[in-house]
Amino acid sequence: MKNVHEIEIKIEGKEWETCLDKSFKKKNKDVKVDGFRKGACPKDVYIKKFGIESLFMDAVDEGVEIAYAKVMKEHNLTPVIQPSLDVKNIDEKAVTLSFKVITKPEVKLGAYKDLKIKKEAVKVSKEEIDGEIEKLRSQFAEIKVKEDKEKIAERDTAVINFHGFVDGKELEGGSGENFPLEIGSNTFIPGFESGLIGLKKGDKKTLELTFPDDYAKDLGGKAVKFDVEIMEVKTRVLPEIGKEFFEDLGYDKVTNEEELRNEVEKVIKERKEAEVDDKYLEDCLSKAADNMTIELNEEIIDEEVHRMIHQFESQLQMQGLTLDQYAQFTGVTHEKLHEQMEPEAIKRVKYRYLLEEVADVEKIDFTDKEVEDKAEEMASNYGISKEELLEAYGSLDVVKYDMKMREAMEIIRTAK
């Protein structure tokens, strides 16, 4: 591929001697040789005892920075991912390094204007308004404990003790005490929640079920038995549609159900319009990306996948989980996760190069003052100082890049 550059460079003479000396000083700090204090062994004695080869790898680490700077300067290259390194030859006189540098792929734009993509019209149905009002009522529902003789119904919460058994043995992680289970939430495997409907406090029942075929931990398709005891049953009492409910929603000017429905319709319409706008932009970007010609290196795609996995890992950590725990719970290995994320990674990379090329072709640029003003605006919107914003972003250059990408998106989105 044209954007792959294999470059060899040799470090020799005094430069290589300096690298070997630095390696020796680093190694010597922790070396104890008979007849010398720790760290005081002369270089010739050290080499006689351990061999010059013991200094090579640390010396390469010292020399890589020198070699890399020379390669970038001499060949005027701007890598888009971290270059790979191969040690071709090494001895006491010199080291030959080979850098594989991948630069930005060639992008040939196709049509990115006049894409003839139609934006969907937004309509709000009576059923959507009804459903939204029911959701709002559910948010302000009062939790009430049912009488002992009242039976479990859909949407009730059953507080249960349960013990699971597979092949006659207790199921690891398949037991719980005073566990609150909302009926209809699909928290447990199919048949568990529906099997509790009609029971009441104090009832006991054995549920004989089967794990779904795709269930993790080698349990897929296996028979399982759960012994369940109902400890308590709670139900949700929805609020009446009236003044108190309107106030809870923050609709102080709403006085009746018709006015409430009008307000809810506005909210639904705004949400659907935002969703339609997002889909329209995605459709435009997708078509413009399909129209362009680009050959992507596997290394660039892998780099994006690894970035996505790192982001996913950070999200898991916020939930108190590690990537290893996620893999254990779901059965999704790191390799499988990589495979699942690759299509999205390819799309992201294509969109990035599409927008960069559009920005170049359209000569999108911003003055330093415009970028400064944008940084101030963004900081104000986030409720932080400009310094804090730039610490998070990295620099004003990143803010400027983001501005250019957004402007390029706007050109693609609004072009008729």
Side-chain angles (χ1 to χ4, degrees), residues 277-296:
D277 282 344
D278 288 345
K279 184 180 183 301
Y280 176 72
L281 174 60
E282 172 64 26
D283 290 344
C284 290
L285 290 172
S286 179
K287 188 165 185 179
D290 287 344
N291 290 342
M292 79 175 179
T293 302
I294 185 171
E295 189 176 3
L296 292 177

Side-chain angles (χ1 to χ4, degrees), residues 28-198:
N28 198 32
K29 288 179 182 178
D30 300 316
V31 168
K32 180 68 174 74
V33 177
D34 291 343
F36 299 95
R37 298 191 318 276
K38 186 177 181 180
C41 178
K43 186 177 178 181
D44 59 338
V45 175
Y46 176 94
I47 291 174
K48 187 174 180 180
K49 181 173 178 62
F50 297 103
I52 188 78
E53 297 81 7
S54 66
L55 301 178
F56 285 169
M57 285 303 100
D58 282 336
V60 167
D61 291 341
E62 295 288 343
V64 163
E65 190 173 342
I66 299 170
Y68 182 65
K70 284 184 177 182
V71 166
M72 293 300 105
K73 184 177 180 180
E74 290 175 11
H75 297 270
N76 193 27
L77 298 175
T78 303
V80 293
I81 61 172
Q82 186 69 32
S84 60
L85 172 69
D86 186 24
V87 179
K88 290 290 187 180
N89 187 52
I90 189 169
D91 56 35
E92 68 274 11
K93 294 181 179 179
V95 60
T96 302
L97 303 174
S98 176
F99 288 97
K100 182 179 180 181
V101 182
I102 296 177
T103 55
K104 183 177 177 178
E106 182 183 4
V107 178
K108 292 182 180 178
L109 284 177
Y112 61 91
K113 297 179 180 179
D114 192 26
L115 296 173
K116 295 181 174 60
I117 295 174
K118 189 175 180 181
K119 186 188 288 189
E120 296 176 18
V122 172
K123 295 180 180 179
V124 180
S125 68
K126 175 182 178 298
E127 290 73 22
E128 287 176 310
I129 297 172
D130 291 340
E132 187 67 21
I133 290 175
E134 285 307 298
K135 285 182 184 177
L136 293 171
R137 291 180 72 199
S138 294
Q139 291 175 14
F140 291 91
E142 179 187 352
I143 305 300
K144 176 185 174 184
V145 177
K146 279 190 169 183
E147 298 292 333
D148 291 354
K149 293 183 180 180
E150 290 186 276
K151 296 179 180 180
I152 296 172
E154 191 80 16
R155 302 291 301 278
D156 283 347
T157 294
V159 180
I160 61 173
N161 292 345
F162 64 97
H163 298 278
F165 301 89
V166 173
D167 297 331
K169 297 179 181 179
E170 190 163 348
L171 174 63
E172 183 181 352
S175 299
E177 302 286 334
N178 293 313
F179 184 90
L181 176 63
E182 182 181 342
I183 307 303
S185 65
N186 298 317
T187 303
F188 281 25
I189 65 172
F192 192 105
E193 293 166 28
S194 60
L196 304 183
I197 292 176

Side-chain angles (χ1 to χ4, degrees), residues 305-320:
V305 171
H306 291 148
R307 186 182 293 112
M308 291 171 62
I309 290 175
H310 182 68
Q311 291 172 344
F312 181 62
E313 188 173 13
S314 297
Q315 292 168 0
L316 288 175
Q317 287 173 353
M318 291 174 68
Q319 301 171 36

Side-chain angles (χ1 to χ4, degrees), residues 99-365:
F99 288 97
K100 182 179 180 181
V101 182
I102 296 177
T103 55
K104 183 177 177 178
E106 182 183 4
V107 178
K108 292 182 180 178
L109 284 177
Y112 61 91
K113 297 179 180 179
D114 192 26
L115 296 173
K116 295 181 174 60
I117 295 174
K118 189 175 180 181
K119 186 188 288 189
E120 296 176 18
V122 172
K123 295 180 180 179
V124 180
S125 68
K126 175 182 178 298
E127 290 73 22
E128 287 176 310
I129 297 172
D130 291 340
E132 187 67 21
I133 290 175
E134 285 307 298
K135 285 182 184 177
L136 293 171
R137 291 180 72 199
S138 294
Q139 291 175 14
F140 291 91
E142 179 187 352
I143 305 300
K144 176 185 174 184
V145 177
K146 279 190 169 183
E147 298 292 333
D148 291 354
K149 293 183 180 180
E150 290 186 276
K151 296 179 180 180
I152 296 172
E154 191 80 16
R155 302 291 301 278
D156 283 347
T157 294
V159 180
I160 61 173
N161 292 345
F162 64 97
H163 298 278
F165 301 89
V166 173
D167 297 331
K169 297 179 181 179
E170 190 163 348
L171 174 63
E172 183 181 352
S175 299
E177 302 286 334
N178 293 313
F179 184 90
L181 176 63
E182 182 181 342
I183 307 303
S185 65
N186 298 317
T187 303
F188 281 25
I189 65 172
F192 192 105
E193 293 166 28
S194 60
L196 304 183
I197 292 176
L199 301 182
K200 57 185 183 300
K201 180 179 178 180
D203 284 351
K204 296 181 180 180
K205 186 175 182 179
T206 296
L207 301 172
E208 296 188 3
L209 307 171
T210 302
F211 282 109
D213 290 337
D214 59 353
Y215 199 81
K217 296 185 179 179
D218 301 322
L219 295 172
K222 280 197 169 186
V224 59
K225 182 176 74 172
F226 287 100
D227 291 336
V228 185
E229 181 179 4
I230 312 300
M231 309 306 292
E232 189 176 54
V233 182
K234 300 177 181 179
T235 192
R236 306 166 81 210
V237 180
L238 301 180
E240 295 294 327
I241 297 178
K243 182 180 178 182
E244 187 176 339
F245 180 50
F246 304 150
E247 290 175 351
D248 287 339
L249 294 174
Y251 294 149
D252 297 335
K253 295 181 181 179
V254 171
T255 60
N256 55 53
E257 185 173 351
E258 182 180 353
E259 291 176 357
L260 172 66
R261 294 181 70 84
N262 290 336
E263 289 295 328
V264 168
E265 183 178 9
K266 287 180 189 176
V267 171
I268 296 173
K269 189 174 182 181
E270 287 175 1
R271 184 170 66 228
K272 292 183 75 172
E273 283 175 343
E275 291 170 354
V276 165
D277 282 344
D278 288 345
K279 184 180 183 301
Y280 176 72
L281 174 60
E282 172 64 26
D283 290 344
C284 290
L285 290 172
S286 179
K287 188 165 185 179
D290 287 344
N291 290 342
M292 79 175 179
T293 302
I294 185 171
E295 189 176 3
L296 292 177
N297 311 72
E298 287 185 13
E299 293 90 341
I300 292 177
I301 297 169
D302 286 344
E303 180 88 358
E304 186 65 26
V305 171
H306 291 148
R307 186 182 293 112
M308 291 171 62
I309 290 175
H310 182 68
Q311 291 172 344
F312 181 62
E313 188 173 13
S314 297
Q315 292 168 0
L316 288 175
Q317 287 173 353
M318 291 174 68
Q319 301 171 36
L321 289 174
T322 66
L323 201 57
D324 287 341
Q325 288 172 326
Y326 173 81
Q328 183 181 359
F329 294 152
T330 63
V332 177
T333 63
H334 190 281
E335 291 74 18
K336 186 68 176 176
L337 191 61
H338 190 290
E339 182 183 330
Q340 290 174 352
M341 289 187 172
E342 190 168 295
E344 176 65 21
I346 293 172
K347 184 179 79 171
R348 288 188 185 188
V349 172
K350 282 186 175 181
Y351 286 5
R352 181 163 68 242
Y353 289 129
L354 165 71
L355 294 172
E356 287 179 357
E357 194 67 15
V358 169
D360 286 345
V361 169
E362 296 286 342
K363 295 181 171 54
I364 298 172
D365 202 5

